[in-house]
Structure formats: C-alpha cells, structure tokens
Amino acid sequence: DQQVKQNSPSLSVQEGRISILNCDYTNSMFDYFLWYKKYPAEGPTFLISISSIKDKNEDGRFTVFLNKSAKHLSLHIVPSQPGDSAVYFCAASPRAGNNRKLIWGLGTSLAVNP
Amino acid sequence: DVKVTQSSRYLVKRTGEKVFLECVQDMDHENMFWYRQDPGLGLRLIYFSYDVKMKEKGDIPEGYSVSREKKERFSLILESASTNQTSMYLCATDTPHTGELFFGEGSRLTVL
C-alpha cells in the first residue's frame, strides 16, 4: 500500500508555462516532505523541501505547497525550461533528517517542450 | 560539495555470480544508504548504515548484504545474483544538518 502517491506518471508542458506536479500521502505522521529531481543515468538531486508547520516554500522558480488537511502537496515550476525535463520524486518522512524512514513516491516524468 | 562515487556505472553478470557494488563518500558522514530504483516501483531502501560496522535492513534486504569497514566506504553484496536483481542501484549519504540526501550516479546492473 503506497503511502506516498504521485498519480501522474508523466506530464508534458510547453517551455515558459507552469509545471504542476502533484503528490498525495496517506500517513498523518509524515512531518517533512521533499522533492528530488532525477536525470537519466544520474542519481537524484535534492530540489526543495517543506516542513508541516509551513504551507509554502519557495526557491527561485520552484515552489512547494502543502495542504495538510488534504494530505496533498504540489511542486510548481515557473517558468518551465527544457532543462527541467526529468523525473521528479516526492518523498515524505516523520521527521526532518530521518532518511531511514523516508518514503518515496514512484515519480513523475516531466517533459518541457521548446 | 559532497561527492558520492560508485565504482561501476554498468555491470553485466551471470546468474549465481557474486557481485560487489562499492560506494565511497568524501564528507565523513555517518549515514550511508543503498537503494534500488525500478520502473513503476520508485526508490526502495535495501540497507542503511549509521556508522562503521553498523547496519540496518531496509525495506527489501533479501538477497543482499552490506559491509562498512571504513566510514567512507559502503559496499553492497549480492551473494548469488539472480535475474530479478537486474536494476539501477543508488548509493547515498546524508548531511547531519539538513538531512539532504546526496546520491551517487548509480550502478546499472544486468543479471543474465
């Protein structure tokens, strides 16, 4: 039973538009959420995180929104660039820094078309 | 910058062979992780080590063992490789301050 769900396996967006990647979770004990980005034949790299005490965190073109009551988070990329084409993983943990308990979604493959 | 180096990017092995996957990190971090990534299954934790000679099973440890004799090196061992262990293997370490995971480039293992 997946505790972290990324229901869209793939997403295609035009360059310059907004990309919205969604993630749902079921475990109310999750307190810390992260997004990682992965290019083919490379390891994932950390993108952005959010603690449950916040509902928004922004870093440049990337913003993560958290709706705790809906157990839903989303990653917004504005404006999208072709270099953003990658697989994006959502992950959740009961506590910041507790990577032993990190639960991963299956990923969403984003294609940004020029 | 944290550097995580995995010794082999691509390996092809035969069923029954013993396989060693090596990982080295250069930041003196205590925690190291081995994951496998498969299409449709995401990242799954195989083993975790929190110090030299200290290890914990992850979610899918069956068919694998690990070794951590030195702090910087974490090895994943497949005692008798099977075709269902064909996968991308990812080693990682995390920072004590932010918990951010740093991954190696991955080792693509094919078992024939």
Side-chain angles (χ1 to χ4, degrees), chain B residues 84-97:
Chain B
N84 63 12
Q85 292 179 308
T86 291
S87 186
M88 168 70 88
Y89 290 88
L90 293 161
C91 175
T93 184
D94 65 9
T95 63
H97 308 296

Side-chain angles (χ1 to χ4, degrees), chain A residues 32 34 36 38 41-46 87 89 96-100 102-107, chain B residues 9-10 33 35 37 40-43 45 48 56-58 90 94 98-101 103-105:
Chain A
Y32 193 65
L34 309 96
Y36 281 81
K38 186 181 184 301
E42 292 185 14
T45 54
F46 170 76
V87 177
F89 290 98
N98 187 352
N99 291 312
R100 169 63 185 90
L102 197 62
I103 304 295
W104 296 80
L106 300 188
Chain B
R9 293 295 304 275
Y10 301 94
F33 305 78
Y35 288 92
Q37 184 202 356
L41 295 175
L43 273 74
L45 182 64
F48 161 62
E56 266 186 34
K57 291 180 180 179
L90 293 161
D94 65 9
T98 66
E100 179 183 337
L101 278 166
F103 285 87
E105 292 188 312

